[in-house]
Amino acid sequence: MTETSLHLWLIPILPLVGTAINGLFGRRFSRQMVSNIGVGFCGAAFLMVLFVLSEFFALRLPHIETYATWIRAGSFQADYGFYLDELSMIMLLVVTGVGFLIHIYSVGYMWEEGGFYRFFCYLNLFMFFMLTLVLAHNYLVMFIGWEGVGLASYLLIGFWFTKDSATSAGKKAFIVNRIGDFGFLIALFLLIKHFGSLTFSRVFASISQLPSEASGAGLLTTIGILLMVGAAGKSAQIPLYVWLPDAMEGPTPVSALIHAATMVTAGVYMVARSHLIFDRAPSALTLVAVIGTLTALYAATIGIAQTDIKKVLAYSTISQLGYMFMACGVAAYTAGIFHLMTHAFFKGLLFLAAGSVIHAVGGEQDMRRMGGLRRKIPWTFWTMTVATFSIAGFPPLAGFFSKDQILWQASRRSVALWVLGESTAFLTSFYMFRLWFLTFFGQYRGAADETNAHPEHAGTPHSVPTASAQPAVPWGHRIHESPKVMLIPMVILAILSLVGGWVNIGKNFEKFLEPAFSRGVAGYTLTEAAPQASKAVGEQGGRELQSTLISVCAAALGLLLAWLLYQRHPELPAHIAASLNGLYSAVVNKYYVDELYAFLFVKPLIEGSRKVLWQGIDQGIIDASVNDAARGARQVSDSLRHMQSGNLRSYAGWIALGAAAVIAYMIWIALT
């Protein structure tokens, strides 16, 4: 820690100011003013990050800024503060840099949308919470950012709140994430109980003195598994991945920012930040590797059969996140973060390019109704081509370097992980080039430059279903290229997707990140070097070259197979699907996992809530007690009201009867 103040608090507070201004006054502002505020404050945060980066190189040590004591209970204390090291620096650059480009793109994409100010308010709110998560100097502040990005995600996924599918997707994302967050919370409680703190420096300093739990499960293994449960929810890993494909109901810029470049990588960041825990819990680390590898392969198999262009990219995102967890699971943390960065470039670009395609054809998202678009929207075609070759792993693009590094590190840990990873690389190349050929090559399969209304866009070239109406696309809508405000961010991301991997030439990226994984926090040095320090920066040799060649061959085979099936012989896929029959139906229907979850969890919970909570407790006990009391009072009142008949003889009789009762009582008292 140094005495220098970098004013880290300014980085997240700038987007929060934009949120407040647009949220409170945006309804009165013009669209230009709203966009200037939303984009401007995000851009200011990015400039602040660049300033901090320049100062960080001079510090040479982690930097902590503590602003206030937030919670104090007995010996436990949690401060509100921020922490800056090599890992958080990379995350800051990715979140603010890619986020800034997506904000610019959103101006053109959402220009005609109702609730324009609300969209930028939510987008800035997300940036605030994500930056809080990344900068947190203890687990409690991280958890606040963690929950905040979940809230912002819910608001943005359900942005078109008049669409049942959008609101259902938002609720699904929120609920599934709560399951993972429960595991995260239990892990935090265990940290408090056993280490008395949630501050990284104190927790990691204590953990660095503990031996590895190689013999079996223990405290650190339990904490690691619970942290992975939280990461699986936020980063859409098996079994909590089901929310992310449905989240494509949100606007495409939301998919690019939250569900490709930033929020879904929070789980990867949390595991990497907690590497001291996982390094001493081999069983938990193995679980991370297995879940990541299986998720990568599983999601890739689903992606090969999807026809919605955004759904293909959604399952691709789940698969690529699996690669990152695979890297963390073999203690190759720098490789995982490297892929996190390059993935933000090419996957963010893929979503933006997909949005440009959807925009061009008036809202169509079914790739079977596209085709031949490369000449009609050339800028979109070429930028998406760069992203496609990058994610497929072709050299010298960014995705090649980061994916190759992960597969090489996996091969050093486990042959099985490496084989499954290479199989995933082949499937990734195949489904991405399938998307590429179906969208841009062959003949246009729409209605001769006329497009009927479909899920996203409607009305004018920029518009989408608003909260008040969802008009049909006018007959005669012409396919057209996107405006410059959308194309410029795509071009910049295409350049980054092309050259972004070169930062690791000479192992420069690994050398920059190495201190974050070879020391504790705030100067605490590990008594036992983390596996990353000794393994991830290993020497290159024949085996690595062999692994690289196999990875490139897998990508080339995927391209060749996609070309044969969707360009050379386009009639073959239908015949193959018919011959596979049940297997193909299972893949198209995502292995019926949603239906299985509905049968095992959703329906029993709904029925149980209806019969036990509603009919049993609410109606049978609470309502019944109130209703029975009211019914009894009514019956007593009904009986007593007959005494008030208005007949004088009746009143005299009641008086005489009462007097006789009083006299009889007095006589009985006197006699006794």
Side-chain angles (χ1 to χ4, degrees):
M1 179 175 176
T2 69
E3 297 298 327
T4 305
S5 178
L6 299 182
H7 301 294
L8 297 179
W9 62 274
L10 282 172
I11 297 175
I13 208 68
L14 286 167
L16 183 62
V17 173
T19 296
I21 295 175
N22 274 332
L24 294 173
F25 311 110
R27 186 186 294 271
R28 306 173 187 175
F29 293 159
S30 66
R31 292 178 184 270
Q32 190 63 53
M33 177 65 74
V34 169
S35 61
N36 288 343
I37 292 170
V39 175
F41 279 99
C42 182
F46 176 59
L47 293 177
M48 186 64 192
V49 169
L50 295 180
F51 168 75
V52 168
L53 177 63
S54 66
E55 295 293 317
F56 179 74
F57 283 108
L59 296 177
R60 298 180 180 273
L61 287 173
H63 180 77
I64 296 177
E65 292 184 10
T66 302
Y67 306 109
T69 298
W70 193 9
I71 295 176
R72 188 192 302 272
S75 61
F76 174 75
Q77 176 178 317
D79 297 330
Y80 192 89
F82 292 146
Y83 172 74
L84 184 69
D85 69 346
E86 296 82 1
L87 177 58
S88 52
M89 193 73 250
I90 293 296
M91 293 298 296
L92 286 176
L93 288 169
V94 170
V95 172
T96 57
V98 177
F100 177 55
L101 294 175
I102 294 173
H103 272 68
I104 296 173
Y105 176 95
S106 300
V107 174
Y109 194 88
M110 303 293 291
W111 188 259
E112 296 295 332
E113 173 59 45
F116 187 75
Y117 76 95
R118 184 165 50 89
F119 179 81
F120 277 96
C121 173
Y122 295 163
L123 218 57
N124 280 177
L125 181 65
F126 166 80
M127 293 293 292
F128 164 72
F129 281 121
M130 188 66 198
L131 292 170
T132 299
L133 187 158
V134 168
L135 279 170
H137 102 304
N138 62 64
Y139 280 108
L140 185 59
V141 177
M142 176 186 280
F143 189 73
I144 296 302
W146 187 276
E147 291 297 295
V149 294
L151 169 64
S153 176
Y154 165 76
L155 294 172
L156 286 164
I157 293 170
F159 179 76
W160 293 319
F161 54 82
T162 58
K163 291 173 59 180
D164 289 340
S165 57
T167 56
S168 296
K171 289 185 289 186
K172 184 175 183 179
F174 197 81
I175 293 170
V176 172
N177 272 271
R178 296 294 73 72
I179 298 172
D181 296 349
F182 179 74
F184 193 1
L185 266 179
I186 299 301
L188 300 193
F189 293 152
L190 288 176
L191 289 173
I192 294 172
K193 176 177 175 58
H194 292 278
F195 301 107
S197 176
L198 291 176
T199 302
F200 296 147
S201 58
R202 296 178 184 175
V203 171
F204 295 160
S206 299
I207 290 175
S208 65
Q209 307 302 318
L210 299 178
S212 175
E213 296 179 347
S215 59
L219 172 64
L220 297 182
T221 300
T222 302
I223 293 174
I225 292 173
L226 290 169
L227 289 176
M228 183 56 199
V229 171
K234 194 66 69 182
S235 295
Q237 298 295 285
I238 291 174
L240 302 178
Y241 71 92
V242 291
W243 66 269
L244 194 142
D246 289 8
M248 296 303 106
E249 290 291 339
T252 297
V254 174
S255 303
L257 178 63
I258 296 182
H259 308 123
T262 53
M263 188 195 87
V264 291
T265 61
V268 180
Y269 170 74
M270 185 261 282
V271 170
R273 174 60 73 201
S274 307
H275 69 95
L276 287 177
I277 297 174
F278 287 95
D279 288 342
R280 281 159 175 73
S283 297
L285 202 61
T286 300
L287 178 67
V288 173
V290 170
I291 288 179
T293 305
L294 293 179
T295 301
L297 181 62
Y298 173 80
T301 61
I302 298 177
I304 64 177
Q306 300 303 304
T307 56
D308 185 309
I309 189 171
K310 288 179 65 177
K311 287 292 180 66
V312 174
L313 298 180
Y315 282 103
S316 173
T317 298
I318 298 172
S319 181
Q320 295 301 307
L321 289 167
Y323 267 120
M324 299 174 207
F325 279 104
M326 180 200 299
C328 291
V330 297
Y333 302 107
T334 56
I337 298 301
F338 186 29
H339 195 58
L340 183 155
M341 182 187 72
T342 60
H343 178 265
F345 299 153
F346 60 70
K347 184 54 65 63
L349 174 57
L350 284 169
F351 270 109
L352 296 189
S356 183
V357 170
I358 295 168
H359 159 85
V361 297
E364 184 60 69
Q365 292 182 206
D366 193 331
M367 297 182 298
R368 296 170 297 181
R369 300 178 184 175
M370 298 179 186
L373 296 178
R374 68 185 187 279
R375 295 186 181 89
K376 300 177 183 295
I377 47 175
W379 284 94
T380 300
F381 166 70
W382 285 111
T383 53
M384 197 166 196
T385 297
V386 171
T388 301
F389 276 84
S390 183
I391 191 176
F394 281 92
L397 285 81
F400 161 75
F401 291 98
S402 58
K403 186 183 293 185
D404 177 66
Q405 187 68 16
I406 291 175
L407 292 173
W408 162 238
Q409 295 294 342
S411 70
R412 301 174 68 186
R413 175 72 175 266
S414 166
V415 174
L417 294 179
W418 176 76
V419 170
L420 294 176
E422 292 289 2
S423 302
T424 303
F426 163 73
L427 293 175
T428 300
S429 179
F430 172 71
Y431 67 65
M432 285 309 306
F433 282 108
R434 171 179 175 267
L435 179 152
W436 191 58
F437 284 120
L438 285 175
T439 303
F440 295 107
F441 291 85
Q443 299 296 318
Y444 181 65
R445 295 177 293 276
D449 277 17
E450 296 160 352
T451 309
N452 296 324
H454 203 60
E456 202 159 304
H457 282 271
T460 63
H462 290 285
S463 66
V464 286
T466 64
S468 58
Q470 298 181 14
V473 173
W475 182 258
H477 172 84
R478 310 298 298 180
I479 297 175
H480 60 285
E481 187 60 275
S482 298
K484 291 182 180 179
V485 72
M486 295 169 61
L487 292 178
I488 291 175
M490 291 165 57
V491 171
I492 295 174
L493 285 174
I495 295 172
L496 292 173
S497 299
L498 179 64
V499 304
W502 299 358
V503 298
N504 199 36
I505 293 178
K507 303 297 182 182
N508 290 323
F509 187 85
E510 293 183 35
K511 292 175 183 176
F512 176 75
L513 270 181
E514 182 180 350
F517 298 117
S518 60
R519 65 163 179 254
V521 176
Y524 286 98
T525 302
L526 300 184
T527 56
E528 175 187 347
Q532 174 66 14
S534 60
K535 294 184 178 181
V537 195
E539 60 188 26
Q540 298 292 332
R543 287 180 57 201
E544 183 174 5
L545 178 60
Q546 182 182 19
S547 175
T548 299
L549 291 175
I550 292 174
S551 298
V552 174
C553 288
L557 285 175
L559 168 58
L560 177 61
L561 182 60
W563 176 78
L564 287 173
L565 293 180
Y566 296 97
Q567 183 68 12
R568 181 68 174 173
H569 300 290
E571 73 283 354
L572 280 180
H575 295 303
I576 294 174
S579 63
L580 294 176
N581 197 8
L583 177 60
Y584 179 77
S585 297
V587 174
V588 169
N589 290 283
K590 300 157 285 187
Y591 300 108
Y592 302 100
V593 171
D594 282 314
E595 290 79 3
L596 178 64
Y597 283 7
F599 176 76
L600 293 178
F601 305 111
V602 179
K603 290 182 180 178
L605 282 173
I606 292 176
E607 289 300 316
S609 298
R610 179 180 293 113
K611 293 182 179 179
V612 177
L613 296 179
W614 177 35
Q615 296 178 353
I617 298 177
D618 190 27
Q619 289 186 333
I621 298 177
I622 299 175
D623 287 352
S625 61
V626 175
N627 293 336
D628 288 347
R631 188 179 302 109
R634 183 171 60 250
Q635 291 174 350
V636 171
S637 300
D638 185 64
S639 300
L640 293 177
R641 70 184 179 86
H642 292 292
M643 297 173 61
Q644 304 298 325
S645 62
N647 190 313
L648 292 178
R649 287 188 301 173
S650 176
Y651 293 162
W654 284 112
I655 292 173
L657 180 61
V662 170
I663 292 171
Y665 175 73
M666 294 176 67
I667 293 172
W668 178 76
I669 291 295
L671 292 177
T672 58

